[in-house]
Amino acid sequence: MGETKGGWKLWAVLALPPLFWAGNFIVARASRGEWPPVALSFGRWSIALIALLPFAWPWLRRDWPLYRRYFGRILLLTLPGVAAFNSLVYWGLQTSTATNGMLLNSTIPLLIMALGALFWGQRLGLWAILGLIVSTLGVAVVILQGSWERAAALDFARGDLIIFAAMVAWALYTMGLKTFPAEVNRIGLLAVQIALALPILAPFLVWEISSGRVPVWTPASIGALVYIGIVPSVLAYLFYTKAVEMAGPARAGQFIHLLPVYGAILSAAFLHEPLHLYHAAGFGLILGGIVLAGRGK
């Protein structure tokens, strides 16, 4: 695609999805006192399913026989990608900062590469291995908050570890989605996955409520839920799909690295989270690892 094709519309569809996804971290962190993690995840996907149905309905009707044929694979995709990922992120954000969460989100490209080598038989060259090592150091810097004392004591931030587990879940989901038959439309597939994820999350929601962790219903908490249910869940997905169509997957993927940049600005502005030197060092190492790994392609 040419640089000018699409003009400002192209730049909008490229730049807005990471901004919307950054908002997911910011709003979830800000509303952690009103929304327990499973309730937020369940509410998010309930709203997202309603908002997505008008776009997905034609594909749902067309691909219904394919959903039946690939039901087992769809369920396996749903568990890490829809049910687990956001629930773990929201759980981790109860104690971790949004800034840390979005920095850890930057590890996904390298995790996809590592899991592809471990479980899908993909070969890693020297540059890819070097990139993985450098990015792993960046993750360690973020989780240990740049402290050698914490490293010696193996004192890991629990919330950061939970969020990192979410990133592993998303990497597994991405690899599974890449190998999923292309004949199944992805918008319809997402709607089916959400419909499957809600009953999976329901028992955890019941357990969370029975343990005394219930949502606090206020105009602000309702607004937070509506934002998370529509903007990062549906609009970002539709915009990103359009970005891949207009600019190609490689260029669209590069813009995802704007997420921690947006996040640092929004976290400082709305959550008053301080930025530390270890944030810059961790992000630099993670991004450097991605660049190194890319040299081998």
Side-chain angles (χ1 to χ4, degrees), residues 73-88 165-174 176 193 200:
R73 295 180 66 177
I74 293 173
L75 184 61
L76 286 175
L77 282 173
T78 300
L79 290 171
V82 182
F85 173 70
N86 282 285
S87 301
L88 289 171
M167 302 310 150
V168 175
W170 186 261
L172 285 169
Y173 170 72
T174 302
Q193 290 176 307
I200 293 172

Side-chain angles (χ1 to χ4, degrees), residues 83-132:
F85 173 70
N86 282 285
S87 301
L88 289 171
V89 167
Y90 298 150
W91 182 18
L93 286 173
Q94 296 286 307
T95 53
S96 180
T97 64
T99 303
N100 281 21
M102 282 177 278
L103 287 176
L104 293 172
N105 192 88
S106 300
T107 63
I108 287 176
L110 277 300
L111 288 171
I112 291 171
M113 191 180 301
L115 292 173
L118 287 173
F119 301 111
W120 278 270
Q122 296 183 358
R123 297 183 61 183
L124 294 181
L126 179 61
W127 285 111
I129 294 171
L130 184 59
L132 283 170

Side-chain angles (χ1 to χ4, degrees), residues 140-184:
V141 168
V142 173
I143 292 177
L144 295 168
Q145 298 179 2
S147 170
W148 290 109
E149 291 78 11
R150 296 189 70 171
L154 297 178
D155 181 14
F156 300 100
R158 182 187 177 197
D160 291 342
L161 288 176
I162 294 171
I163 292 174
F164 187 67
M167 302 310 150
V168 175
W170 186 261
L172 285 169
Y173 170 72
T174 302
M175 287 303 300
L177 195 61
K178 286 175 66 175
T179 60
F180 197 80
E183 59 185 320
V184 181

Side-chain angles (χ1 to χ4, degrees), residues 31-41 90 94 208 213-216:
S31 60
R32 66 191 182 278
E34 291 81 27
W35 285 107
V38 181
L40 183 57
S41 186
Y90 298 150
Q94 296 286 307
E208 188 176 73
R213 304 191 67 190
V214 296
V216 178

